[in-house]
Structure formats: C-alpha cells, structure tokens
Amino acid sequence: MTTFGFIGAGNMAGAIVRGAVEAGFTSGEDAATFLLTSAHESASHLAEELDDERVEAVDDAADLVSRSDVVVLGVKPHVIPEVAAELAGPLAEAKPLVVSLAAGLTLERLESLLPDGARVVRVMPNMAAAVGQSMTALAAGTEASAEDLATAQGLMDAVGRTAVIAEKDFSAFIGLAGSSPAFVFAFIDALSRAGVLGGISKAQAVEMVAQAVVGSALTVQAEAAKRAETGSGRTPADLVDAVCSPGGTTVAGVVAMERAGFSTAVIDAFKATVARDRELGA
C-alpha cells in the first residue's frame, strides 16, 4: 500500500493522478493512496472530480510529506528551491522517494536542494499524458535504488509508455518525444489545409489526417514489437516502401516531400530543440 503525495496538482500532475486511478491504483488489496496539495484550488478540485476515497486533498504540505512513501514534485521548476527549503525538515525525517516532473532541473541540482541522501528520480513526460499516451523518460539519482526506479516507472506507466535512459540523453529525448508533438500537430494541420485545397472541409480533413497518424503510429509500434519478438517486423522505412507502389500516387508524394526537404527539416527541428534545451540548462 503505497502513498503518493503530489505537491502541485496542475495539468501534468493531474493527468498522472487521473491515469493512476483509471489504471486501478486505488483499488484492490494493495490499493495506493494519493495525497494532493497545491497553492491554489487545483488539488481540492481534482479530488472532488475523482471522487475516490483514496484520493485526498490536504492543506499542509509538511503533513503530506510525512504521510507519503513517494513525493511527486509537480510545481514549476523555479518554485522547487523554495518548496525544498520549506519542506527540508519533513523530507529529512520521512525520507520518501522524490519524483521530479520539473523540466530543466538536473538530478545533481535536485539532490543539492534536498536533504543529504535523498532518493530522487527525474521523469519527463509529454503532453499526451492527458490522454494516457505519454512517452516518458526516467533517470535515477545517485541514491535511488532499482526498486525506487521501478516505483516511479510503474506510476508513469499509468499514462503511457516509459523508457529509462541516461540523464545526459534527456536533451535528445526532448527532441524525439518532448517537443515533437508540436511537430506532429504542425504536420496534421498542414496536411489538413491541403485537404481544404482539395475541397474537403477543415474539420473533416483534420479528422482524416489525425486518424491516419494514429493508425500509422500503431502500425509502427506493432511492427517494432514483432521485430523484438521474432526479428521479422518491418522498420518505418520498410513500411514506407510497402505503401509506395511502383509508379503510384504515394511514391510521387514521398518524392515531392523529399525534394522539398522534408527529412532535412525534421532533423533540423530536432537539432534546434536539443540545442535550445542545452542552452537553457547551461
């Protein structure tokens, strides 16, 4: 019976709590408890919305820490130093696992703000956590155990897929999964506008393109799983070839995209994202 304490109950923290409840964390013999606190009314509103006896809004953050096995820092990065200072005593006494959602705060920085020996796991979800389809990266601090990492990963599995990576690769992860939803949204919007040019309404075009993107992504995942199990699954490049009949419409479109610099633009977007993240973290 694990007790998760969330300091901050904004969009991302709220998505994680909702996902965990929907995944059954608060039911069964080993039911978990979720304690929520926030500077505004978001914690109480979330507890009211979920209407689960194991989800409780509390006013006192120090009390939340003392009752929690896992403390999730869901506040803005610039607020964390203040929160860590205010809760230094309870954190030192209770010694919970600390899971940070804060973008840009390294494990080294987090550990310097927390009491000596603090067990920290840094996680980086993306906005699709709100619909249970996040891609989340995790990295463990120097004092965190394999069990601590598994606990954090289990929580984040409730809102999508997870990957444990070296913290040095977080900037690359942002380019691949943190910022890339914006790239995909831009692609969906551009292709939908092309649909309008072709005589289809914008709303209908968006629906068509979005479903095509969902189906394509699921196909890539299915083939990757098959490749991992049997070695016979197709790569994304193989799937492009499978859709491109000789002399057909699709290959004409693919060649036109490449002539316009599609792959180069995607790679440049990734590089710019990584470079900017490293500038911000410098």
Side-chain angles (χ1 to χ4, degrees):
M1 296 176 60
T2 303
T3 297
F4 295 91
F6 278 71
I7 299 176
N11 292 336
M12 185 57 69
I16 295 168
V17 175
R18 290 186 190 95
V21 171
E22 290 175 7
F25 272 58
T26 57
S27 59
E29 293 183 2
D30 295 324
T33 297
F34 289 83
L35 306 178
L36 318 172
T37 192
S38 62
H40 305 290
E41 300 298 318
S42 54
S44 58
H45 288 166
L46 180 58
E48 290 173 8
E49 170 199 328
L50 293 172
D51 192 23
D52 187 311
E53 63 180 8
R54 289 192 170 274
V55 179
E56 175 188 350
V58 299
D59 294 327
D60 188 351
D63 178 53
L64 178 145
V65 171
S66 68
R67 296 168 58 190
S68 299
D69 303 300
V70 180
V71 170
V72 179
L73 299 177
V75 296
K76 299 293 185 183
H78 72 274
V79 178
I80 285 188
E82 178 184 344
V83 169
E86 289 179 356
L87 298 176
L91 287 167
E93 183 175 351
K95 295 181 172 58
L97 168 64
V98 177
V99 175
S100 172
L101 304 178
L105 284 187
T106 65
L107 288 165
E108 181 179 12
R109 175 63 173 152
L110 289 163
E111 289 173 343
S112 74
L113 294 170
L114 296 167
D116 290 345
R119 295 142 50 222
V120 184
V121 175
R122 182 182 174 192
V123 305
M124 183 175 289
N126 70 15
M127 69 173 298
V131 292
Q133 294 296 329
S134 177
M135 183 66 240
T136 301
L138 302 94
T142 56
E143 300 295 330
S145 66
E147 183 179 355
D148 292 332
L149 184 59
T151 296
Q153 189 167 14
L155 177 64
M156 299 311 299
D157 281 339
V159 290
R161 298 192 177 206
T162 57
V164 177
I165 63 175
E167 190 182 27
K168 68 179 180 61
D169 295 327
F170 266 44
S171 291
F173 175 82
I174 290 173
L176 294 175
S179 298
S180 65
F183 309 159
V184 178
F185 298 150
F187 169 79
I188 290 172
D189 187 61
L191 190 52
S192 298
R193 290 184 187 280
V196 176
L197 185 65
I200 296 176
S201 72
K202 182 66 180 293
Q204 195 170 32
V206 168
E207 181 182 5
M208 292 173 177
V209 177
Q211 181 58 37
V213 170
V214 169
S216 300
L218 290 174
T219 301
V220 170
Q221 289 181 336
E223 292 292 332
K226 188 187 301 183
R227 193 163 63 251
E229 292 177 7
T230 68
S232 63
R234 293 171 291 181
T235 67
D238 294 331
L239 292 168
V240 172
D241 291 342
V243 185
C244 290
S245 301
T249 57
T250 305
V251 71
V254 169
V255 169
M257 282 201 312
E258 291 306 322
R259 283 176 177 162
F262 179 77
S263 293
T264 299
V266 172
I267 292 168
D268 285 349
F270 169 84
K271 288 180 177 178
T273 301
V274 172
R276 182 56 176 158
D277 180 68
R278 288 175 177 163
E279 288 173 7
L280 293 173

